[in-house]
């Protein structure tokens, strides 16, 4: 599902603007790629290719329909980033704000607290922790970030290296939620999910832990509404 949704999103951005006549695109290559991956996808896939509100191509196989809610895994990052940028646009958050400044009770005086919001979302925060608290069931948002802050160490100076990881996103999202006066899921609903019509989407994959970087569940149609 993730592969097929990414294909749809990328393809929707890569073609030139359509004319008044049907676009003369040869889209057969998309289906060849998806069918070749079906075995690894357990036979389930949905692809939607949409440009300027016009559906150009669709493909469905197995148990996943365009409106079926599925786990988005790391595609969650793209949608969660929209929530963060909405907070930046409204002046409630700054990309150059550090975790120590925004969450002083958790990150104050710690080397990990020098990571900025931008460092967190570009995965250059340098925070290392013994467990992936950002998506462990049994943790809420505050509890997961508290564990990251208390047990996390600084692997490298923030902003100097790239390390694919969601701890910084989880932490800065807590800051955004506090600034918005809502929990993360309600903030996402107010800022992105609601306005985009993603009414069936939720961050419930890991129970009370929103897993900001990888815990969103939504349908392909909802992802396309965001894209």
């Amino acid at each position: 599902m993730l592969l097929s949704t990414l294909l749809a999103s990328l393809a929707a951005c890569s073609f030139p603007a359509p004319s008044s006549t049907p676009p003369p695109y040869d889209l057969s290559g998309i289906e060849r790629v998806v069918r070749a991956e079906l075995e690894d996808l357990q036979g389930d896939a949905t692809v939607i290719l949409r440009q300027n509100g016009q559906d150009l191509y669709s493909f469905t196989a197995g148990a996943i329909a365009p409106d079926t809610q599925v786990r988005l895994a790391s595609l969650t990052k793209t949608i969660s980033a929209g929530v963060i940028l909405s907070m930046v646009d409204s002046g409630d958050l700054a990309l150059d704000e550090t975790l120590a400044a925004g969450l002083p009770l958790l990150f104050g005086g710690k080397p990990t607290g020098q990571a900025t919001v931008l460092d967190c979302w570009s995965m250059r925060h340098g925070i290392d922790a013994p467990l992936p608290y950002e998506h462990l069931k049994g943790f809420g948002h505050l509890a997961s970030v508290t564990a990251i802050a208390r047990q996390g160490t600084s692997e490298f100076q923030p902003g100097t290296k790239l390390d694919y990881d969601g701890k910084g996103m989880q932490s800065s999202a807590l800051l955004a939620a506090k600034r918005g006066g809502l929990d993360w899921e309600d903030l996402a609903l107010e800022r992105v999910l609601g306005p985009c019509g993603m009414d069936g989407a939720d961050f419930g994959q890991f129970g009370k832990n929103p897993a900001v970087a990888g815990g969103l569940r939504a349908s392909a149609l909802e992802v396309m509404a965001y894209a």
Side-chain angles (χ1 to χ4, degrees):
M1 171 61 197
L2 176 59
L3 171 65
S4 54
T5 304
L6 285 173
L7 284 169
S9 298
L10 291 172
C13 296
S14 62
F15 293 117
S19 64
S20 58
T21 58
Y25 305 135
D26 178 7
L27 305 178
S28 59
I30 297 177
E31 187 158 334
R32 287 197 300 270
V33 170
V34 177
R35 286 194 179 279
E37 297 292 334
L38 274 180
E39 183 176 354
D40 288 340
L41 297 170
Q42 290 78 53
D44 302 325
T46 286
V47 176
I48 302 170
L49 176 58
R50 181 178 297 164
Q51 184 182 66
N52 296 339
Q54 178 185 3
D55 284 354
L56 306 182
Y57 174 83
S58 63
F59 173 89
T60 299
I64 296 180
D67 61 351
T68 302
Q69 186 190 66
V70 297
R71 296 174 294 171
L72 296 190
S74 283
L75 187 56
T76 301
K77 295 176 175 63
T78 302
I79 298 171
S80 291
V83 181
I84 295 296
L85 291 177
S86 172
M87 294 290 287
V88 172
D89 285 346
S90 63
D92 296 302
L93 197 65
L95 290 176
D96 60 358
E97 185 172 2
T98 65
L99 293 177
L103 298 170
L105 295 180
L106 296 179
F107 288 96
K110 298 177 180 292
T112 53
Q114 297 310 304
T116 65
V117 173
L118 181 58
D119 289 331
C120 290
W121 286 87
S122 58
M123 293 182 286
R124 298 179 300 173
H125 49 79
I127 302 173
D128 190 24
L131 293 172
Y133 299 109
E134 65 272 23
H135 57 74
L136 289 184
K137 288 184 177 181
F139 283 79
H141 198 174
L142 175 59
S144 68
V145 177
T146 299
I148 290 170
R150 289 180 177 175
Q151 300 192 37
T153 58
S154 183
E155 187 177 12
F156 53 82
Q157 183 178 351
T160 61
K161 295 181 181 181
L162 172 66
D163 184 19
Y164 192 88
D165 185 86
K167 296 177 181 62
M169 295 179 187
Q170 185 85 346
S171 301
S172 58
L174 178 65
L175 170 56
K178 286 184 174 296
R179 290 283 170 78
L182 299 167
D183 63 33
W184 173 257
E185 185 158 14
D186 287 339
L187 181 67
L189 181 63
E190 177 184 88
R191 295 287 179 138
V192 170
L193 303 183
C196 288
M198 301 174 68
D199 299 324
D202 67 59
F203 282 85
Q205 180 181 346
F206 298 99
K208 294 181 179 180
N209 193 340
V212 172
L216 187 64
R217 301 182 294 190
S219 70
L221 287 174
E222 289 170 328
V223 172
M224 293 303 292
Y226 174 80

